[in-house]
Amino acid sequence: MQQTPQTRYFQCGRFRFALDQRPLVMGILNVTPDSFSDGGQHASRDAAVRHAEQMIAEGVDIIDIGGESSRPGSAALPLEDELARVIPVVEALRGCGKPLSIDTYKPEVMRAALAAGADLINDIWGFRMPGAVEAMAAPEAGQAGLCVMHMQRDPQTMQEDPHYDDVVGEVADFLAERIAVLRAAGIDDARLSLDPGFGFGKTPDHNLRLLGQLPRMALEGLPVLAGISRKSTLGAILGGRPPQQRIAASIAAAVCAVERGAFIVRVHDVEQTVDAVKTWWAVRNESVTAA
Ligand code: 7PM
């Protein structure tokens, strides 16, 4: 369904965000087993809940829960392991007052997470796995949001000499094709967000071109999510700095993204990014009101 200008918003399960409000900060919550603890699943769940509580205190708008590392070259996590990591965290956090996003491409994880109370599914595969579109179009998915991300090739091979004739045009064409498929399945535009997938089958120059041209990702006026935090393009700009020393660069990149129309920035450093986005918003509005 097409939206009229008066009703433009991003529906994120139980939550609804007007697109003319301050851009949102999505905090990254990795749920990975702690190799130094013998507490197993409970230890990883409890550590994730503590990290989420810290991000909430820092002003996070959306919590993005991920159980599988999509690190370039990494192997896939078995379904049962991903479910065992992610679902207890959704159950523990569903009453936290913030929308819960699940970073997954597996339809079984989507369905289980939505049944457990997740509000948004963030899919690095852009809902291309068999059954993913159907999982999101099912009545059980309710009004859950979707983040449709572009990736060239797959996490194992994507960083082996990425090539495009026109990176911005090719990423936009991919996102347009996915929007068409999701609409045809009956999913409302209000549930959709788009993401060029920084670092997913792209060189640093591809990523910088996509960031510079970010307004071209806002197809049909849909909200754009940008995930640049601590990524290797920032390391390349800084002469090979490691991820923990890319925080100022990450904040600068987040401000560049919101300046170019991003509605959601996905970040590790919530406190600093919230301050930066509020400051950008106040300057944009020439007013401190409701920063
Ligand atoms: C290693 C490399 C570990 C890359 C983790 C990553 C995005 C995402 C990720 C993004 C959306 C990271 C990435 N990145 N989901 N999931 N957009 N929508 O740096 O850019 O967190 S994983």
Side-chain angles (χ1 to χ4, degrees):
M1 196 171 74
Q2 299 269 350
Q3 288 188 66
T4 60
Q6 306 92 289
T7 61
R8 290 189 69 236
Y9 53 82
F10 179 44
Q11 186 72 41
C12 202
R14 300 166 287 167
F15 301 83
R16 174 179 287 196
F17 297 103
L19 297 186
D20 58 4
Q21 71 164 78
R22 167 174 75 71
L24 306 176
V25 175
M26 169 185 273
I28 300 167
L29 185 68
N30 288 317
V31 189
T32 44
D34 179 0
S35 51
F36 299 103
S37 164
D38 56 8
Q41 228 75 69
H42 293 300
S44 86
R45 181 197 62 195
D46 293 350
V49 170
R50 277 194 301 276
H51 185 198
E53 286 166 350
Q54 184 193 328
M55 292 198 292
I56 292 167
E58 292 173 350
V60 78
D61 297 301
I62 303 174
I63 298 170
D64 188 40
I65 303 166
E68 173 176 327
S69 170
S70 40
R71 193 170 299 279
S74 66
L77 184 73
L79 170 65
E80 295 308 322
D81 296 14
E82 189 177 342
L83 287 170
R85 284 187 200 178
V86 167
I87 301 305
V89 176
V90 176
E91 289 170 346
L93 289 177
R94 75 178 143 207
C96 78
K98 299 295 175 184
L100 303 180
S101 163
I102 310 301
D103 190 340
T104 191
Y105 58 83
K106 296 189 182 84
E108 299 89 342
V109 177
M110 294 176 188
R111 288 181 187 272
L114 293 169
D119 298 287
L120 170 64
I121 302 293
N122 170 26
D123 183 356
I124 65 165
W125 279 92
F127 302 91
R128 283 180 287 163
M129 289 296 169
V133 172
E134 291 79 1
M136 298 311 297
E140 294 75 25
Q143 288 298 107
L146 295 81
C147 179
V148 183
M149 200 194 82
H150 173 271
M151 170 169 58
Q152 191 182 67
R153 304 171 71 184
D154 58 76
Q156 285 73 43
T157 63
M158 64 188 182
Q159 289 309 103
E160 296 171 9
D161 196 22
H163 174 82
Y164 301 83
D165 293 322
D166 166 15
V167 65
V168 178
E170 289 171 47
V171 171
D173 287 351
F174 169 85
L175 294 174
E177 184 264 339
R178 298 315 299 160
I179 294 170
V181 168
L182 292 162
R183 280 180 174 164
I187 295 170
D188 279 0
D189 276 8
R191 298 171 56 192
L192 299 177
S193 64
L194 305 175
D195 183 344
F198 293 104
F200 288 85
K202 285 121 187 156
T203 65
D205 283 359
H206 290 141
N207 291 316
L208 292 170
R209 185 170 290 257
L210 285 164
L211 180 53
Q213 305 290 314
L214 199 67
R216 287 183 55 194
M217 297 299 118
L219 306 174
E220 317 273 357
L222 293 175
V224 171
L225 185 152
I228 320 165
S229 183
R230 299 189 187 178
K231 284 187 177 173
S232 61
T233 296
L234 304 176
I237 294 169
L238 302 176
R241 210 88 78 67
Q244 318 85 272
Q245 293 171 31
R246 300 173 188 164
I247 295 174
S250 298
I251 296 156
V255 173
C256 291
V258 298
E259 178 76 19
R260 286 161 182 74
F263 185 61
I264 306 171
V265 286
R266 179 181 177 277
V267 305
H268 299 86
D269 304 292
V270 169
E271 182 172 49
Q272 296 93 325
T273 310
V274 169
D275 285 0
V277 171
K278 283 181 177 174
T279 303
W280 173 81
W281 183 246
V283 172
R284 203 212 70 140
N285 293 319
E286 303 178 16
S287 169
V288 296
T289 313

